[in-house]
Amino acid sequence: MLDCGLDTTSVLNFLPLPLFFPSFQELKECAGRVFVDSQPEFCLPERELLDLSTIDVILISNYHCMMALPYITEHTGFTGTVYATEPTLQIGRLLMEELVKFMERVPKAQSATCWKNKEIQRMLPGPLKDAVDVWTWKRSYSMQEVNSALSKVQLVGYSQKVELFGAVQVSPLSSGYSLGSSNWIIQSHHEKVAYVSGSSLLTTHPQPMDQSSLKNSDVLILTGLTQMPTANPDGMLGEFCSNLAMTIRAGGNVLVPCYSSGVIYDLLECLYQFIESANLGTTPFYFISPVANSSLEFSQIFAEWLCHNKQSKVYLPEPPFPHAELIQTNKLKHYPSIHGDFSSEFRQPCVVFTGHPSLRFGDVVHFMELWGKSGLNTIIFTEPDFSYLDALAPYQPLAMKCVYCPIDTRLNFHQVSKLLKEVQPLHVVCPEQYTQPPLTQSHRSDLMLELQPPPMPYRRCSVLNLPFRRRYERVYILPELANSLVPSEIKPGVSMATVSAVLHSKDNKHTLQSVPKPPPVPPSKKRKRVMEEPPVVLAPKPLLSGAVPLEAFLATLQKHGITEVKVEETADGHILHLQADDTLIQLEEDGTHIVCDNNEPLRTTLRDLVLRFLQKL
Amino acid sequence: MLITHTHTHTHVSTMDRECASLLPSVCEVLADSGRSVPDDTSLEKLLDWFTGLTEAGGSLLEACPCLLKFISTVVHNTASDPGVLSFTLRLTGLMAATEDGFKMLQERSVLNQVFNLQHWQEAGLWDDPCLRIGWIQGLRSTLQHPKALSFFVQSDFIDPLLQLQTDTSLFVASAANQMLAHILLFFQKVSSAGSNGVNKKEEDLEPPAITMETSAEYSAVVKGISEYLKESLIPKENTKLHQSLQILKLLALLLAQAGPPLRDKLLQTVTESLEELVTAGCSQLTLPLMDVILAANSSSCPDGRVPGQRVARILSSMLSINNAADLCHAAAALLRRGHHDTVHTARAVRILLLPLDIITGPTLLGTNTTADEHLFSVVEQLKSKTSCISMICVCLTNTPQITLTPPGVLPCPPVLIVTAVVSLLRICSGSSSSSSTGCSEVCRNVIGSGKVQKCALEALTALNSSPGAKEKISEVFTILIQYLDNPDSDPTVLHKSYQALVKWIRVCTDLSLITDQLRQDLVEVVKKRACDMRWEVRDSTVEFLGHLAGVHVSVTLGEEVCDASEALLGGCCTTPLLKEALQDTESYVRASAISALAKTLTHSWQQGAALTEDQTEIVSRLLEILSQDTEGFPRRAVVQYFISWFFSRSSHSPPSSSTSSTSLLMQCVRTVLSQGSADLDWEVKVHTLELAELLLDQAFSAHRGYRKGSDAHCALQHPYGVVSDQAYTLHTHTGTHAEGVQSDLARVVEQGVISALLSGLVDCDRPVALKACRLLITLRETICPLSLGALDATAAMATVSCELLGKGWGQEITKILGMEKSDRALETDISAQRSFSGADGGGDSVTVSEVLRSLSLDERLEVLTQSSDHIHNSPLSLLQDILTASAAHTHPDTKPGQEVIVDCY
């Protein structure tokens, strides 16, 4: 299984968590839209098509692509192994922990289910009506489930080769998108499949993308391209900074709903440089998350997973990320939640980074309530996962200024075409969406993949035959067996030998062993058991190779007194009609037949004459 | 460099004598191959000096007989430095430029030796490009009279010269080209004696004496050269393009200046080759070829003679060559030339509009674009990204020119071109698609292309005045605001968008066309850009605010006029943004903000309005910048701010002007004068003196003898300056002259003007001292007039004195005054004695008039007016340098090869 991301957009249909009104209704109307008043639920990966207990291996690309892991590995009979890099595991754990804490902090007694009734759902307005598979939506997992799921993760390092049942080898490569993010190479001895997901060519904090190892793939599965092909991350970062400065100068506060790891490191780094030049030195920056502290600290210790620039800082010694300095100088403060220390130290105007970017749960909900009514304040969306209009819907009417600058550093179409030109896979498999311009911008023919040969698109639940077959298998031969071979050269540099051996296959490894000598028949009267009988070994007939040259053969025939030969050309070769003896010799590319009735001496002669021209092994 | 400190003025004649005495030893140094010259430039300078002497009418041979010996020594010494040899060749040419000189040199067979090609080739020196260029330039200087032409022809120099035209050294090749052009053009009179077709420039020169012999020689030269041109114009193979290129350049040079006989002769010879070259369709030759054809076409008579028609035909075929990119370039070249033939212009216009038409949809050329036979080839070219961008840029650059072509030539109303550029900008930003079908392949090439965006914005800026453009203002505003808002716009694109906005606002007579929504969008985007991460963007934004304030528009048609920033931005956003920008970390932004503030406030200053709290705050912040800012730009801008404030007030203020603001201004002026004149930056100091000048103008303009703006020609237009060009008109004063002057002087002293001027006078920066000196002289002439009738005034003036600080400039002035005093002990008056005693310690008081008289201002002015390197640039210093350097080089301690080698042949 390649990745198991969680579709969290389903939570947009729910009311934000602390906005709890005692009510008997499951549904609530808010600014013209209907929301479900219940603990938010998530849309799980497709589970109908396959039995999760049959999955042997899950490969994880990055920490955003593993949020559904507990749903897959727990309570499903899953017995396989999950492979991921260490930062992916640790930061993934942080994100899951954050999610669980956000949910558990504000428990909801009841769970709304009636609306999921097909009859009722059909009557509902707007996005609720169109939501798919609502019965499969699940509430958040628990910390216990998270721990259990993560215990199944096996850590791997970049370029480390992991043997899977002898059948294939998998190996993660740096993908440049986030700490520990990887693309995967899945290869056998003769075939190579590359799985490219969530990669970035930009110079941000993680180790740069390893492109060269992707070369010579038979198939490249391409996914995780930028969700915002028209939003250039640099431009967005600039937009982020100028809107932030503009708000602070006007005396307003800035709210940045974000994940607690990832782009936030780059944002903080950018702000570190910007706040001096924009005279924002005195404005406090707050980072509020149950895992804020761990996230900031983790980032500093994963030195080997960072870009070269940051790695070298470790030896100075200097913390790789400048947010350490922001913390030291008290410009950036982090708190596990808005309760406790934060409430006493909170100063305005300020900048708050907090989750969850869906605005449905987490501390961000409080800030929406606190600041939403003033036009001086600004909310700046930087995560590309949610439509900001949908995220804001339950808070309407809102006076607060909204700025949407999604920062998605993943590959854009321009970069991916360049990459594919470089890597040159034989075939590319990608989601259908990548093969046509975005729906809303149908004139942007530059925002799609155009390849030769065209990529193989797939859509939800489609079953795809990858365009290659396993034609060859590697077979090992034991030394003593190899010793016994008698090769004969059939053309310069090429020798052949016949082998008689027992093929031994275990864990997808094939070995040729010598044929065991038949043990002396035990003097037993027991009934013979066919199964135990060793195979009867007959002395093999020599194998023939070569071709019969027509002219020379005719000459030989003549020498042996066969002169009346009528040669007829056929599609595959020639037919020689020995008219005197009513005999046919069919000379074809892959066979020679002598049709000769009732004349055994002639047949033998002819056979021997033919054999003269052939080599024997 | 030898530095000679001398305060006395050396006269030209004495210098010549000195130079003449030094020249022989200099020649000796140069002729001695063992010794080296300081650097190549000294030989160039020496030659310049000689050229100057020759042009002044002197004879080098008479003035410096040693040169002759020098030449023959150098020429015979094959070990001579190639640089010196080259110099010698050129010097010889210079000496042979006159017939007398030529004759004398020929008599001593110097010319034959010097320009003997074989000699140089055998000596192995010809390989040095330095020598080849010396040979060409030497000959070129010589070729000023028929005798030289005879020498040239008889020596068979024409072939080697033609060979040099394709020399490996670009400098040599270009010099050879120039030389060939010179021969043909300079002597063309010979063949066309009496013709009036020769251009006037040639007529200024002494006409060469005409003999039958020279005429024949000239014809031979013309024939030789034009045959060569004809033969070599067509490249034999691709590698020979260089030669064709050189020949085309030469032809363009010749055709642009040749008189009819020469021109016709040339055209007759080369037309066929030109035709062949056009058909060959060689991309690299397109532009030079076009130059030649256009030169030929514009010089050929419109009387329908055969060569003229043939040239027109070549031009036509040039405008229908196959390669679309070359075609664009050719058409652009035609338009740039301001060609007036409507058929060709119309064709060029169509060619240039076609790519735009293809990308933005068929509007410009009507529906019959299929008639353009090269449509297919253009579309194919546009599908390739690089050629698409380059072609579109060529087209865009020419659109403003296209709209100026006569209506009959233009295939569409000019306003459609504005629309096309706007649509292109929209396509470039990815926000819209082309309306023409099947062009998505082309469109994707320009999406996000910064180069096309910049070109299109430039074109749009220039299109603001094209006919009918005004009706498009709303559309233009929308796209420009969209560009300003686009997060992906790079700083240059933003800058150009701002420029375009200002330009379009300028032509907009009726701002009511701009909807409230647009205005609001503009406010938002400007606010955002003022906080941009990139200082260049913040700077452009701040500048834009300043420019906007400088534009006056009427809000609705025919109504009252206000500045554009108020009309568009509502007036509430400009000042706060600019105030914020005063704190910017980048000094350029601070400086721009200061000058933008000045522009914004100019109107209220002129009205004499009372100061707002905001303005008072700005003033204190500006004074802070002046005293504390570490960068020069903001400090300069601060002084300029007060200059424009003071100027606006004194030139416009009605009697009702607020007294509080006047008093604050005068208080500031005092601070600026004292701090500005103590600044470390010379430009700040010069600006401070400009402010002092304004104060002087205000005080004394009514008085007799005051020459206002004495220094006006020196007031440089500073980028941050907001002083308008109009002449200063200050309010006049009444009262008796002496009394008036006395009280005015007292006020000026009190304002700190005199201190500023005196400190400027002793400043180590020449422009500062010069400006101060000029102002002090003006002041002296006003308050200490020499006429007898003004004696009473002088007496009254004696009572006005000023303080000299005991340190810095005060001490310096005291020292000068002390020196002057001892020189003129007899004239000492009591007050001066009092003032000059005890120079150190605390401040002293001196009488202004006395100071002005005692500072020997006129002498100072004379010294200061000369450029600061006049001493080092004199020929004497040059000769001394050469001698010193050679002495240094013969010194055992100095290592060879340390001299700076400057390539300047």
Side-chain angles (χ1 to χ4, degrees), chain A residues 359-415:
Chain A
L359 306 190
R360 291 302 179 270
F361 44 89
D363 298 300
V364 71
V365 179
H366 292 277
F367 287 99
M368 286 306 294
E369 283 173 40
L370 184 68
W371 291 342
K373 302 284 172 281
S374 162
L376 281 180
N377 302 324
T378 306
I379 178 167
I380 309 180
F381 292 87
T382 57
E383 300 290 351
D385 287 355
F386 302 94
S387 141
Y388 78 107
L389 290 175
D390 290 341
L392 289 171
Y395 298 95
Q396 298 300 346
L398 196 69
M400 190 178 200
K401 212 179 138 202
C402 303
V403 178
Y404 187 52
C405 23
I407 299 174
D408 195 334
T409 58
R410 287 174 286 186
L411 295 175
N412 62 31
F413 289 97
H414 179 68
Q415 291 164 333

Side-chain angles (χ1 to χ4, degrees), chain B residues 432-747:
Chain B
S432 98
S433 60
S434 167
S435 53
S436 64
T437 47
C439 276
S440 67
E441 260 177 288
V442 178
C443 283
R444 61 191 290 178
N445 287 332
V446 297
I447 291 179
S449 159
K451 201 171 166 208
V452 177
Q453 290 179 350
K454 282 169 214 164
C455 269
L457 285 169
E458 271 167 17
L460 189 62
T461 310
L463 285 170
N464 71 334
S465 47
S466 64
K470 280 174 203 162
E471 58 195 78
K472 288 283 155 196
I473 188 138
S474 170
E475 226 171 288
V476 170
F477 255 65
T478 311
I479 187 72
L480 290 178
I481 291 173
Q482 192 193 321
Y483 265 71
L484 289 173
D485 191 40
N486 189 340
D488 293 335
S489 294
D490 75 39
T492 334
V493 166
L494 292 171
H495 186 72
K496 292 196 185 299
S497 306
Y498 278 133
Q499 279 178 331
L501 259 184
V502 172
K503 280 273 156 68
W504 275 82
I505 292 168
R506 267 185 218 284
V507 297
C508 179
T509 43
D510 180 9
L511 273 189
S512 63
L513 290 172
I514 313 293
T515 62
D516 284 347
Q517 184 58 48
L518 277 179
R519 287 171 207 228
Q520 206 180 320
D521 290 349
L522 183 62
V523 170
E524 279 306 306
V525 84
V526 166
K527 275 186 185 167
K528 184 175 87 179
R529 289 301 178 194
C531 297
D532 202 276
M533 283 172 85
R534 300 155 294 185
W535 71 263
E536 299 93 325
V537 176
R538 300 199 297 273
D539 195 47
S540 310
T541 309
V542 165
E543 261 179 32
F544 168 72
L545 290 174
H547 289 315
L548 214 53
V551 179
H552 292 280
V553 291
S554 55
V555 183
T556 50
L557 208 55
E559 262 190 41
E560 80 199 274
V561 173
C562 72
D563 76 58
S565 76
E566 201 164 313
L568 285 175
L569 306 177
C572 61
C573 107
T574 307
T575 315
L577 285 181
L578 293 178
K579 261 173 72 184
E580 194 71 55
L582 290 180
Q583 321 268 350
D584 202 282
T585 42
E586 186 59 48
S587 63
Y588 299 113
V589 181
R590 295 197 294 275
S592 301
I594 295 165
S595 75
L597 272 172
K599 283 179 186 154
T600 311
L601 297 174
T602 305
H603 191 61
S604 89
W605 291 334
Q606 288 171 349
Q607 304 290 306
L611 282 186
T612 63
E613 205 177 307
D614 240 6
Q615 288 174 18
T616 326
E617 216 180 296
I618 290 167
V619 165
S620 61
R621 174 72 194 122
L622 291 184
L623 292 178
E624 220 172 281
I625 289 177
L626 183 63
S627 62
Q628 286 164 17
D629 206 297
T630 51
E631 300 285 332
F633 290 105
R635 302 201 305 269
R636 289 176 208 168
V638 169
V639 181
Q640 294 272 26
Y641 177 95
F642 287 105
I643 289 178
S644 39
W645 186 4
F646 182 82
F647 177 72
S648 309
R649 289 308 290 264
S650 49
S651 56
H652 289 86
S653 80
S656 65
S657 58
S658 131
T659 48
S660 72
S661 91
T662 313
S663 86
L664 179 65
L665 172 62
M666 292 324 289
Q667 208 179 311
C668 291
V669 162
R670 216 164 296 142
T671 317
V672 172
L673 283 179
S674 77
Q675 281 183 350
S677 52
D679 204 279
L680 291 174
D681 183 290
W682 72 267
E683 284 193 52
V684 173
K685 290 184 282 199
V686 169
H687 291 324
T688 308
L689 291 176
E690 279 162 16
L691 179 61
E693 185 178 1
L694 283 181
L695 286 157
L696 287 180
D697 286 352
Q698 188 192 42
F700 299 110
S701 58
H703 299 300
R704 253 179 303 150
Y706 182 76
R707 279 185 296 119
K708 201 167 53 178
S710 58
D711 218 3
H713 57 281
C714 289
L716 298 164
Q717 199 59 46
H718 191 270
Y720 300 116
V722 285
V723 181
S724 67
D725 295 336
Q726 68 193 96
Y728 302 154
T729 46
L730 299 171
H731 295 275
T732 50
H733 299 259
T734 48
T736 66
H737 178 246
E739 266 173 47
V741 173
Q742 187 190 353
S743 64
D744 288 339
L745 182 61
R747 200 170 70 236

Side-chain angles (χ1 to χ4, degrees), chain B residues 203-222:
Chain B
E203 277 171 334
D204 295 341
L205 295 165
E206 217 172 297
I210 306 144
T211 63
M212 286 308 286
E213 197 190 359
T214 38
S215 179
E217 276 157 353
Y218 179 72
S219 307
V221 170
V222 171

Side-chain angles (χ1 to χ4, degrees), chain B residues 290 315-323 327-328 330-332 334-335 339 341-355 365 369 371-375 378 402 405 408-411:
Chain B
M290 200 62 193
L315 188 54
S316 301
S317 41
M318 211 45 203
L319 291 180
S320 48
I321 48 176
N322 252 339
N323 183 319
L327 195 59
C328 264
L334 181 101
L335 274 194
H339 195 70
D341 138 33
T342 43
V343 178
H344 287 131
T345 310
R347 169 100 190 112
V349 165
R350 278 193 88 82
I351 291 170
L352 287 171
L353 288 180
L354 186 60
L365 302 178
T369 45
D372 291 86
E373 65 274 22
H374 61 290
L375 176 71
V378 176
I402 290 175
T405 53
V409 169
L410 213 55

Side-chain angles (χ1 to χ4, degrees), chain A residues 196-234:
Chain A
V196 173
S197 161
S199 303
S200 174
L201 291 171
L202 301 180
T203 319
T204 53
H205 59 273
Q207 229 187 69
M209 178 178 180
D210 178 354
Q211 299 177 54
S212 57
S213 308
L214 298 172
K215 283 185 183 166
N216 306 320
S217 308
D218 295 288
V219 171
L220 188 141
I221 303 171
L222 179 68
T223 176
L225 296 189
T226 177
Q227 299 189 57
M228 294 292 146
T230 53
N232 166 20
D234 282 334

